Amino acid sequence: MQSLNFDELAEALYDELATILPPLANNPDVFGFAIFVPEDAGAACFNYTYGNESKMTARAGTMDALDQRYSPIEWIPTLPAFKNSNRVLESLVEQFKQISQDLSGNKLYKVHGEFITGCARATLLAMKRHKEEGTFGTIWYRVLAMTDDEDPILVEAFKTLNDGRARKEAAILYK
């Protein structure tokens, strides 16, 4: 796994975020931004979504409101894909297939987990750099997301990328 260059993936994501974020970061209606990271090397893809204040319809203080605001899957029905970053990801997937082709059972499961974590860490690094540079503007909730997983990297990303209101209100979802 050491032969896979996740730094190249982090750079591609960073560069692509530099073009995606500016119009969102200057829109006061946008409060949240999430990148869906791969969960399976066989169907690896990066998508993003963002949350709008104007789409919050649930009554404040309810579990529905908490879910609507802090669950990125609720924000928009069609998730835009990262074009350039997904090309780099495809290359990494091909390399991963070569590395893991002779593995099975627990060894394959472990190596696959390391691959997914490497993808998520590269994403977190790119987002963290943008947070430190202030590129998120008025977007105050920033996370990594997976559709069906409670991977520890999601909690790490939540804690790394958020503070203030987001940390206070959404902490219950990231334990």
Side-chain angles (χ1 to χ4, degrees), residues 12-96:
L13 285 161
Y14 175 82
D15 291 345
E16 207 155 0
L17 281 170
T19 61
I20 292 168
L21 286 174
L24 299 173
N26 293 320
N27 182 342
D29 189 43
V30 177
F31 70 86
F33 185 85
I35 297 178
F36 282 84
V37 296
E39 297 173 61
D40 180 4
C45 183
F46 287 107
N47 296 299
Y48 70 94
T49 187
Y50 52 92
N52 295 90
E53 290 290 348
S54 60
K55 293 183 180 177
M56 297 295 105
T57 58
R59 197 182 64 184
T62 65
M63 283 305 289
D64 285 342
L66 183 72
D67 189 47
Q68 191 178 61
R69 180 172 299 281
Y70 294 111
S71 296
I73 198 70
E74 304 290 331
W75 295 344
I76 52 178
T78 304
L79 303 174
F82 285 82
K83 291 180 179 135
N84 296 329
S85 301
N86 280 328
R87 282 190 207 104
V88 174
L89 177 60
E90 287 172 18
S91 174
L92 285 172
V93 167
E94 289 305 313
Q95 293 171 51
F96 170 75

Side-chain angles (χ1 to χ4, degrees), residues 98-117:
Q98 292 296 317
I99 292 169
S100 63
Q101 69 184 352
D102 296 329
L103 302 177
S104 63
N106 287 339
K107 281 190 174 192
L108 178 58
Y109 181 79
K110 180 180 184 270
V111 170
H112 184 267
E114 291 171 4
F115 176 78
I116 297 303
T117 298

Side-chain angles (χ1 to χ4, degrees), residues 21 25 30-35 49-51 69-70 72 75 124 127-128 130-132 134-145 153-167 170 174:
L21 286 174
V30 177
F31 70 86
F33 185 85
I35 297 178
T49 187
Y50 52 92
R69 180 172 299 281
Y70 294 111
W75 295 344
L124 175 55
M127 288 181 74
K128 183 179 175 191
H130 277 285
K131 179 186 180 222
E132 290 167 352
T135 315
F136 281 100
T138 59
I139 300 171
W140 52 267
Y141 178 58
R142 303 159 293 263
V143 292
L144 301 183
I153 191 77
L154 302 180
V155 175
E156 180 183 340
F158 170 73
K159 290 178 178 177
T160 301
L161 298 171
N162 293 284
D163 46 38
R165 178 180 177 185
R167 285 288 291 268
Y174 293 93

